[in-house]
């Protein structure tokens, strides 16, 4: 039974494959967290909801003993609340008590709903728990309902709070960075106080990613207890890890309360994004594999099905200098190489010759494409490739017909200048007419042209987030309404054009999260296409998100960093660890390079299901030394791919032995480049010796099961 209820003690437990999550109602009808750890199938083993009481003299009842499931700001509660609200009479104190519960199966997953209500006011709070048994994950989200008639002002509505066992010495792992340096792993000891990871920029952001992992200070890639979580939200978000001297550690998260408020009219509801949480004893690697499986099975769109195709993107080859002729020439080269999807990036529309004009005018530029897009699309199809196109729908240049016609469609304050970034302003997706315009424009583009793929970009964060037509009480809803509007437009487009796949991009990897992944098939990981820098960006990305979604290009050398000149094979091996793309100027590639690229693309196609659908093992980290090793293992363990990349060669040091993981111990494997057949046990125990000579050398080793 995945959801068990003990009626007498009023407690629930959610039973995953290897974990239990438990909560219960205490003597004052408050909902408390009880346990999140290794499986405890016997309900009697769980502590009573009041067990923690009275151990903390000189502390209020809402103090360190009170690990509330959904803490509201009221009474003597001083930590990060999930909920802060003002009632119509000005009372700003919320007291939630247990009301009701229900368990059922929703889309094949067990779901528990617990309803709370305020002691006095008609505010209902429904907490949802969706259990993914196989992945040992719980998705939590909350719906608030104003069951009265007078409006309630919401000032903070987070999705959920996760509690860790009382203790000290915890370590927080999170992903932070910048443009061209996204999702880098940071690890630090949790000390008393509050560490806030957040975005206040309107998008998920390059600077922090809505993911956390906490361990007891000793977890490794393959061993140790890790509690972790990720938010399904692509706008302002917040994850606050709060620790106190009594050893309490709570992690609360959801849409950011900064500059947020929501006017909840009588009869209305407000739904938070989902905050996924999990526990594993198998270290950071076990955590990531569970997250990857969950995203592949339960998050990513099911249509269009199949592996992610190898794509070519012309951005770094042509930038804004796009023309039918130039793109057709690139398409011929891409097709020779075995590329499956040809994508035209920025510059195909309006007066878009650089980044100062045209955004918003999504009509094909007649000088660049005198025969419309149709002729190029036909050409691309005749070469055996699908066609894809770049758009940036949420934005407008001041120098565009759309802005000249609708200057009031962008976020702005009437008395303030409209700050431009990359010469553009952000459209107000809280407005119905803007959402409608975006949907009909994109619907037309996809109906009139045979397009299989859209790269949806978003190149600047918000500023002056004003919505002058709205009442003062609703102004601060824009942060949430923008994301809801974006999701709504994407959802409608996917329903109307189920064959079209989407890529989420935000000036590189500024919009990578479980929310956008419900509506997009892949993510542009970073504008940094340097194959060595990418190893660190990709390593961090893989903490939370699966390889299938991680778009990686083979670019021309020296694009980004100190003119680094990596060999083509190294560039490929770095990019083959996710969804493979090519982004170089193919017109400048030699015949030998094109031929080598063709061989590597073919090789990738032969192994991509293992990479895109398999289990990933981070064997050697680019953070720890001169060698990076990453391995992928098919779910049935019959195949595995191992990438080993060397940065500098120093002091004639050999590559350390690499120990593959996740193989079937008793099976026999053939290893490319080696004579002997070896058992899984030997490969994992004795390891693999790899010879890599020279700087930026790399290899890809395939392990194939040949018997048992
Ligand atoms: C930012 C993206 O990350 C790039 O790949 C490219 O699409 C440019 N925008 C185009 O303006």
């Amino acid at each position: 039974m995945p959801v068990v209820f003990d009626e007498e003690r009023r407690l629930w437990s959610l039973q995953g494959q290897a974990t239990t999550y438990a909560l219960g109602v205490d003597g004052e009808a408050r909902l408390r967290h009880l346990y999140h750890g290794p499986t405890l199938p016997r309900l009697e083993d769980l502590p009573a909801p009041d067990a923690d009481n009275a151990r903390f003299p000189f502390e209020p009842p809402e103090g360190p003993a009170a690990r509330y499931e959904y803490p509201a700001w009221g009474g003597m509660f001083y930590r990060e609340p999930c909920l802060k609200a003002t009632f119509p009479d000005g009372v700003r104190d919320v007291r939630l008590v247990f009301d009701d519960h229900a368990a059922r199966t929703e889309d094949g997953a067990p779901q528990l709903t617990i309803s709370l209500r305020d002691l006095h006011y008609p505010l209902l709070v429904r907490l949802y728990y969706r259990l993914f048994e196989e992945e040992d994950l719980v998705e939590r989200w909350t719906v608030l309902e104003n069951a009265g008639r007078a409006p309630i002002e919401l000032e903070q509505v987070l999705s959920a709070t996760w509690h860790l066992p009382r203790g000290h010495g915890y370590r927080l792992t999170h992903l932070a960075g910048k443009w061209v340096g996204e999702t880098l792993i940071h690890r630090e000891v949790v000390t008393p106080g509050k560490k806030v990871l957040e975005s206040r920029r309107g998008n998920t952001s390059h600077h922090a990613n809505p993911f956390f992992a906490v361990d007891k200070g000793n977890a490794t890639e393959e061993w140790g207890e890790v509690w972790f979580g990720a938010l399904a939200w692509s706008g302002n978000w917040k994850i606050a890890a709060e620790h106190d001297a009594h050893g309490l550690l709570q992690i609360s998260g959801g849409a950011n309360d900064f500059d947020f408020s929501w006017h909840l009219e009588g009869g209305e509801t407000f739904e938070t994004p989902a905050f996924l949480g999990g526990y594993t004893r198998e270290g950071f690697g076990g955590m990531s594999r569970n997250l990857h499986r969950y995203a592949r099975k339960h998050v990513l769109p099911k249509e269009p099905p199949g592996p992610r195709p190898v794509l070519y993107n012309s951005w770094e080859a042509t930038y804004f200098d796009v023309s039918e002729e130039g793109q057709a020439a690139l398409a011929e080269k891409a097709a020779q190489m075995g590329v499956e999807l040809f994508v035209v990036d920025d510059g195909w529309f309006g007066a878009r010759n650089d980044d100062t004009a045209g955004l918003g005018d999504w009509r094909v530029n007649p000088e660049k494409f005198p025969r419309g897009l149709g002729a190029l699309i036909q050409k691309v199809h005749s070469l055996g490739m699908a066609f894809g196109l770049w758009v940036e729908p949420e934005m407008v240049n001041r120098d565009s017909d759309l802005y000249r016609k609708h200057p009031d469609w962008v976020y702005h304050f009437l008395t303030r200048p409209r700050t431009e970034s990359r010469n553009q302003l952000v459209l107000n997706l809280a407005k119905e007419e803007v959402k409608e315009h975006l949907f009909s424009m994109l619907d037309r583009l996809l109906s009139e042209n045979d397009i299989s793929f859209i790269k949806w970009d978003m190149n600047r964060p918000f500023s002056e987030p004003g919505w002058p037509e709205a009442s003062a009480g609703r102004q601060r809803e824009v942060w949430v309404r923008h994301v809801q509007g974006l999701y709504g437009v994407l959802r409608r487009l996917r329903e109307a054009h189920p064959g079209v796949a989407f890529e989420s991009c935000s000036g590189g990897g500024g919009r990578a999260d479980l929310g956008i992944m419900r509506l997009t098939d892949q993510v542009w990981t970073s504008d940094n296409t340097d194959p060595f820098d990418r190893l660190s960006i990709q390593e961090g990305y893989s903490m939370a998100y699966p390889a299938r979604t991680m778009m990686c290009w083979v670019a021309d050398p020296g694009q980004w960093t100190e003119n680094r000149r990596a060999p083509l094979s190294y560039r490929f091996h770095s990019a083959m660890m996710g969804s493979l793309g090519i982004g170089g100027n193919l017109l400048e590639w030699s015949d030998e390079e094109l031929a080598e690229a063709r061989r590597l693309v073919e090789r990738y196609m032969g192994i991509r299901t293992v990479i895109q659908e398999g289990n990933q093992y981070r064997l050697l980290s680019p953070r720890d030394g001169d060698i990076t090793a990453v391995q992928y293992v098919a779910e049935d363990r019959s195949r595995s791919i191992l990438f080993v990349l060397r940065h500098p060669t120093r002091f004639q040091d050999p590559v350390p032995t690499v120990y593959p993981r996740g193989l079937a111990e008793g099976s026999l494997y053939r290893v490319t480049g080696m004579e002997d057949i070896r058992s899984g046990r030997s490969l994992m125990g004795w390891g693999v010796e790899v010879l890599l000579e020279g700087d930026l050398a790399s290899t890809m080793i395939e392990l194939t099961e040949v018997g048992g």
Side-chain angles (χ1 to χ4, degrees), residues 35-304:
Y35 177 78
H36 193 188
T39 315
L40 283 182
R42 210 174 149 265
L43 277 191
E44 295 76 5
D45 287 340
L46 290 166
D50 298 279
D52 239 0
N53 266 345
R55 270 200 254 149
F56 300 96
F58 226 77
E59 290 282 4
E62 298 89 343
R67 301 196 296 165
Y68 296 131
E69 272 294 291
Y70 195 76
W73 190 70
M76 293 176 79
F77 186 80
Y78 301 120
R79 296 190 302 274
E80 183 78 33
C82 275
L83 176 61
K84 185 172 185 318
T86 304
F87 294 106
D89 57 4
V91 168
R92 311 192 309 282
D93 178 284
V94 182
R95 301 292 171 110
L96 296 179
V97 292
F98 173 71
D99 192 30
D100 200 1
H101 71 122
R104 61 180 180 156
T105 301
E106 193 61 37
D107 288 336
Q111 187 171 299
L112 169 69
T113 312
I114 303 211
S115 304
L116 310 176
R117 61 178 169 78
D118 184 80
L119 268 175
H120 178 81
Y121 298 94
L123 176 64
L124 307 179
V125 177
R126 282 193 293 281
L127 309 183
Y128 290 84
Y129 296 81
R130 190 142 188 244
L131 174 68
F132 298 94
E133 291 168 80
E134 244 181 76
E135 295 83 20
D136 278 309
L137 294 170
V138 180
E139 231 178 49
R140 292 179 58 187
W141 72 98
T142 301
V143 175
L144 271 74
E145 183 182 336
N146 181 350
R149 260 185 281 203
I152 298 172
E153 305 303 330
L154 306 175
E155 291 155 48
Q156 175 157 354
V157 194
L158 299 184
S159 303
T161 291
W162 303 97
H163 293 277
L164 275 87
R166 198 178 300 289
H168 294 282
Y170 281 114
R171 194 168 56 161
L172 173 70
T173 300
H174 60 103
L175 306 175
K178 58 179 183 177
W179 177 71
V180 303
E182 299 87 336
T183 55
L184 300 178
I185 297 173
H186 291 259
R187 203 158 269 165
E188 64 207 40
V189 174
V190 180
T191 52
K194 182 156 68 175
K195 168 94 183 183
V196 177
L197 314 172
E198 67 173 354
S199 165
R200 297 180 178 197
R201 295 165 190 261
N203 62 350
T204 320
S205 100
H206 302 79
H207 306 79
N209 190 272
F211 155 84
F212 76 89
V214 172
D215 74 296
K216 289 183 168 166
N218 56 2
T220 65
E221 272 295 317
E222 297 308 322
W223 177 89
E225 291 184 286
V226 185
W227 291 260
F228 55 93
L231 274 170
W233 193 240
S234 314
N236 280 4
W237 59 270
K238 169 174 170 179
I239 293 178
E242 196 167 359
H243 189 41
D244 74 6
H246 298 288
L248 184 135
L249 175 55
Q250 64 164 56
I251 300 178
S252 313
N256 205 334
D257 54 296
F258 172 77
D259 196 41
F260 163 87
S261 68
W262 196 275
H263 180 79
L264 197 67
E265 286 285 350
E268 282 182 354
T269 57
F270 178 85
E271 181 170 334
T272 71
F275 195 6
L276 181 78
Y279 164 83
T280 180
R281 283 203 275 197
E282 290 172 13
F284 299 107
M287 164 195 81
S288 298
R289 287 185 288 280
N290 280 351
L291 284 170
H292 295 175
R293 201 171 301 128
Y294 157 80
R296 288 195 303 263
K297 274 171 57 183
H298 305 293
V299 178
L300 291 165
K302 298 276 176 288
E303 295 276 333

Side-chain angles (χ1 to χ4, degrees), residues 315 345-346 352 390 422 455 457 459 505 507-508 524 527 553:
W315 173 244
D345 210 279
D346 199 347
R352 188 77 169 164
W390 176 96
R422 213 195 186 210
K455 175 176 173 181
D457 205 346
N459 277 301
C505 171
W524 180 225
D527 275 349
W553 296 349

Side-chain angles (χ1 to χ4, degrees), residues 314-367:
S314 61
W315 173 244
E316 291 189 359
T318 59
Y319 293 105
F320 297 99
D321 191 9
V322 174
S323 69
E324 183 187 326
E325 224 184 8
Q327 296 293 308
L330 285 166
E332 278 178 13
K333 297 279 184 193
Q336 276 172 31
M337 216 186 250
V339 163
E340 299 163 294
L341 169 66
F342 183 84
V343 184
V344 175
D345 210 279
D346 199 347
W348 59 270
F349 53 92
R352 188 77 169 164
N353 296 315
D354 52 32
D355 61 17
T356 60
L359 277 182
D361 300 340
W362 302 103
R363 296 176 307 276
V364 64
N365 180 306
E367 277 146 43

